[in-house]
Amino acid sequence: MIIVCSQAAQDGVDIISLSITPNRRPPGIATYFNPIDLALLTAVKAGIFVVQAAGNTGPSPRSISSFSPWIFTVGAAAHDRLYSNSITLGNNVTITGVGLALLITLDLHLQFGLGIVMPDHGVIRLCVIDSMTVEIDSVHAGTNKGALYTMISASDALNNNTMAMNDMYSGECQDAGILSRDVVEGNLLICSYSVRFILGVSTVKQALRTAKNLSAAGIIFYVDPFMIGFQLNPTPMDMPSIVIPSVEDSKILLQFYNASLERDGVTKKIIKFGAVASISGGLKANYNNSAPKIMYYSARGPDPEDSSLDDADILKPNLVAPGNFIWAAWSSLGSDSVEFQGENFAMMSGTSMAAPHVAGLAALVKQKFPSFSTSAIGSALSTTASLHDKNGGPVMAQHAYGYPDTYQSPATSFDMGSGFVNATAALDPGLIFDSSYEDYVLFLCGINGSAAVVLNYTGLNCGVSSTMNGADLNFPSITIAKLKQTRVVRRTVTNVATVNETYSIGWSAPYGVALKVTPMHFSIATGERQVLKITFHASVNNTTASFGRIVLFGNQGHTANIPVSVNVKISCNAAN
């Protein structure tokens, strides 16, 4: 990593996007003293802005995997774009699922200016604009529109002479040889989706091959009851298909199917498959989701200072960005995901998808403000982040793997940092908070027993008294792990706008904390600086983290948000 960072500096790199994190909390006197973070400190010294994924170890507290203040840590949020398809049962119940329908490519033969094509699994309406111009008006993905197909469970389509009768995984449709073509042909094949698909033992692609080999009209996957908590990414399917990701919806499907079977009164063998359904969608995105929303897997703060889980005076993550169901470039030869083999794009989820969004936006900020330091870029992204979803409500955070939308609440700073990145606002921040490489060294020197490590990695000696606490770093956030009675911190803002501006300051204090900011009003010219004094006083004894916010309102339209978090509060009445 040190060699990579050195080479990046030599090559004139401005941004590093890092979608890797340590696989465990680093041991030692502090989490910051790990080879990755210290190598990235050398990159920051060279003026390189470092973006790192927060990790996919959420939603528990202190699950963050990116620790250091010089690294810009990004969590993952859902956006409002959703690809979904649906299955409509014969009783008019519609169940939504996941599945990407492939766009059908057709060879159109036109004669006398008119062409009409009716593919097996799609309907395309052609409108002749002139004698040689044809416009595709719409595409219908799924089974033939308006037609209902009989559903056949793989477990009920086993060959009589097969040895798989007692195989609990035979319903996953991985082997066409154990299924009867006579039973499946022309029907919708129902297959089970178990954790074996997550592990890669079974694959959707193989089930699709099975369905095609048996001449099925389509394929339906239902999840088994043990699949709670697994997110199923939309998978490209080249025949009418759907994966039902909900255990409850899967039960509805199976209940309808089983209730529609007719069996011989004596032998109990199936004599008629009565359940019918049609599949539609999977080609067009809809934008009805409430967004952004912090995903359950996105790692959370507070930032652990060491392996004993003492909290640091550093806010992590710094902010969140789109990271769920993201279209990503993909090598058609890639083998990491069997479902996307042969594809040029894949739909992926994780904080590793969120970090590159911020890296790209940081490049735009750097382009507009070439003189910005790394911390100034981070400040522009942070102070302008959005605190509300697209409907004006609070950004919500999921807090459970199972039924994540049931267990959610308004996001705190430990869920989303400063908020959801706002690309437009970040290019006009008004004020910025700036820190330097030297400040980071002073911060490291302030950790007990760190002098030898700092000297080894930086070549700098820690002074006797020249140290800096994490809360004193000039960041666009304030985090105090332990507030004992009263504490004063200061922040310095710089006006990077093209106009002079007058600011008024408002705030909401964390529970159990009295907060005051001075001055409450100030005027600042372009390029000038203003020091803010923030006083915290614990009014209760409390060990639960609480959150507040300081907002700077400019009369020229600029606004700077500063999230405030205080973990442990010890009032003046506390015992020794």
Side-chain angles (χ1 to χ4, degrees):
M1 180 61 72
I2 294 175
I3 296 175
V4 170
C5 291
S6 298
Q7 187 62 52
Q10 293 178 26
D11 293 343
V13 168
D14 291 309
I15 316 287
I16 289 178
S17 179
L18 199 64
S19 287
I20 59 172
T21 57
N23 57 10
R24 62 186 178 90
R25 188 168 290 109
I29 58 175
T31 52
Y32 324 113
F33 295 110
N34 68 80
I36 292 178
D37 287 32
L38 290 173
L40 294 173
L41 180 59
T42 64
V44 170
K45 181 182 180 182
I48 301 174
F49 183 70
V50 177
V51 183
Q52 186 177 30
N56 300 327
T57 48
S60 60
R62 301 176 183 85
S63 55
I64 200 82
S65 298
S66 175
F67 313 103
S68 297
W70 52 86
I71 298 172
F72 200 78
T73 305
V74 183
H79 50 75
D80 64 351
R81 184 187 66 209
L82 182 65
Y83 291 88
S84 64
N85 54 1
S86 62
I87 179 171
T88 300
L89 307 180
N91 58 1
N92 290 323
V93 172
T94 298
I95 299 172
T96 58
V98 295
L100 295 174
L102 298 185
L103 184 63
I104 302 168
T105 302
L106 301 171
D107 183 15
L108 304 184
H109 298 279
L110 301 185
Q111 187 175 11
F112 305 115
L114 179 63
I116 300 176
V117 180
M118 298 291 290
D120 290 340
H121 301 303
V123 177
I124 293 185
R125 299 198 301 273
L126 303 178
C127 176
V128 178
I129 305 303
D130 56 38
S131 61
M132 291 300 293
T133 303
V134 177
E135 179 183 296
I136 297 179
D137 182 58
S138 67
V139 176
H140 172 76
T143 52
N144 285 336
K145 194 171 185 179
L148 293 175
Y149 292 80
T150 300
M151 295 190 290
I152 309 289
S153 172
S155 300
D156 295 328
L158 296 174
N159 286 320
N160 291 330
N161 59 351
T162 181
M163 299 296 292
M165 299 292 291
N166 297 319
D167 183 355
M168 62 184 297
Y169 302 116
S170 60
E172 295 180 359
C173 304
Q174 299 299 292
D175 183 4
I178 66 174
L179 300 177
S180 170
R181 181 187 180 94
D182 292 339
V183 175
V184 174
E185 186 173 2
N187 298 315
L188 297 176
L189 180 62
I190 300 177
C191 309
S192 62
Y193 190 107
S194 74
V195 71
R196 287 159 53 93
F197 284 79
I198 304 298
L199 299 175
V201 178
S202 297
T203 68
V204 170
K205 262 206 161 110
Q206 183 56 40
L208 290 169
R209 292 191 193 102
T210 296
K212 288 180 188 175
N213 288 339
L214 299 171
S215 298
I219 190 167
I220 303 163
F221 294 94
Y222 69 90
V223 294
D224 70 29
F226 302 102
M227 284 292 290
I228 294 176
F230 291 99
Q231 175 175 285
L232 305 182
N233 289 342
T235 301
M237 302 182 186
D238 54 1
M239 68 185 305
S241 312
I242 185 172
V243 180
I244 301 173
S246 161
V247 172
E248 287 73 19
D249 287 342
S250 295
K251 289 179 180 177
I252 292 173
L253 170 76
L254 294 177
Q255 287 169 358
F256 173 70
Y257 172 79
N258 290 323
S260 302
L261 293 175
E262 292 185 20
R263 296 181 181 271
D264 183 273
V266 178
T267 65
K268 303 301 180 184
K269 290 185 177 180
I270 299 172
I271 58 176
K272 183 179 179 181
F273 295 94
V276 294
S278 64
I279 299 172
S280 61
L283 190 60
K284 288 186 176 181
N286 66 67
Y287 300 87
N288 298 324
N289 273 5
S290 176
K293 180 184 299 182
I294 314 304
M295 296 305 299
Y296 61 86
Y297 54 76
S298 186
R300 312 297 167 90
D303 187 13
E305 186 173 57
D306 51 41
S307 57
S308 66
L309 294 182
D310 285 339
D311 296 332
D313 290 341
I314 303 295
L315 178 63
K316 292 293 178 179
N318 292 90
L319 50 64
V320 295
N324 204 57
F325 294 162
I326 303 299
W327 280 114
W330 188 264
S331 170
S332 60
L333 302 178
S335 58
D336 288 351
S337 174
V338 176
E339 314 302 354
F340 287 97
Q341 282 183 357
E343 305 292 340
N344 293 318
F345 291 90
M347 185 166 281
M348 311 297 289
S349 296
T351 56
S352 293
M353 298 294 103
H357 281 82
V358 174
L361 295 176
L364 294 177
V365 175
K366 180 71 173 178
Q367 183 182 50
K368 183 172 181 181
F369 301 99
S371 63
F372 267 20
S373 68
T374 59
S375 63
I377 295 172
S379 173
L381 292 165
S382 298
T383 61
T384 58
S386 175
L387 305 176
H388 301 94
D389 66 16
K390 69 176 190 178
N391 298 317
V395 173
M396 302 298 285
Q398 298 175 337
H399 294 291
Y401 276 80
Y403 310 108
D405 282 339
T406 301
Y407 300 99
Q408 61 180 8
S409 61
T412 71
S413 301
F414 291 162
D415 298 318
M416 65 174 182
S418 293
F420 184 79
V421 68
N422 185 327
T424 302
L427 296 175
D428 186 21
L431 300 174
I432 56 108
F433 297 72
D434 210 355
S435 296
S436 65
Y437 170 79
E438 289 72 24
D439 292 334
Y440 299 136
V441 173
L442 292 177
F443 161 73
L444 293 176
C445 287
I447 299 171
N448 290 334
S450 66
V453 184
V454 172
L455 178 62
N456 180 49
Y457 275 93
T458 69
L460 299 175
N461 286 298
C462 292
V464 177
S465 58
S466 57
T467 60
M468 181 178 291
N469 186 276
D472 295 320
L473 287 168
N474 194 40
F475 279 0
S477 62
I478 302 173
T479 299
I480 300 177
K482 182 178 290 186
L483 175 61
K484 188 173 183 179
Q485 298 182 10
T486 300
R487 181 165 180 179
V488 176
V489 299
R490 288 175 171 80
R491 292 292 185 268
T492 301
V493 295
T494 303
N495 184 5
V496 295
T498 57
V499 295
N500 301 338
E501 199 156 2
T502 298
Y503 282 86
S504 298
I505 302 178
W507 61 83
S508 60
Y511 168 77
V513 176
L515 187 154
K516 183 179 181 181
V517 184
T518 55
M520 292 182 61
H521 307 276
F522 64 90
S523 295
I524 185 169
T526 300
E528 285 191 350
R529 297 182 178 182
Q530 173 68 48
V531 177
L532 306 176
K533 177 183 176 183
I534 304 104
T535 303
F536 295 85
H537 180 76
S539 57
V540 298
N541 298 322
N542 188 276
T543 58
T544 302
S546 54
F547 306 92
R549 189 166 300 276
I550 300 170
V551 185
L552 284 66
F553 300 97
N555 67 347
Q556 299 298 318
H558 296 107
T559 301
N561 282 286
I562 307 171
V564 176
S565 53
V566 180
N567 297 3
V568 177
K569 295 160 280 287
I570 304 173
S571 74
C572 57
N573 296 320
N576 292 332

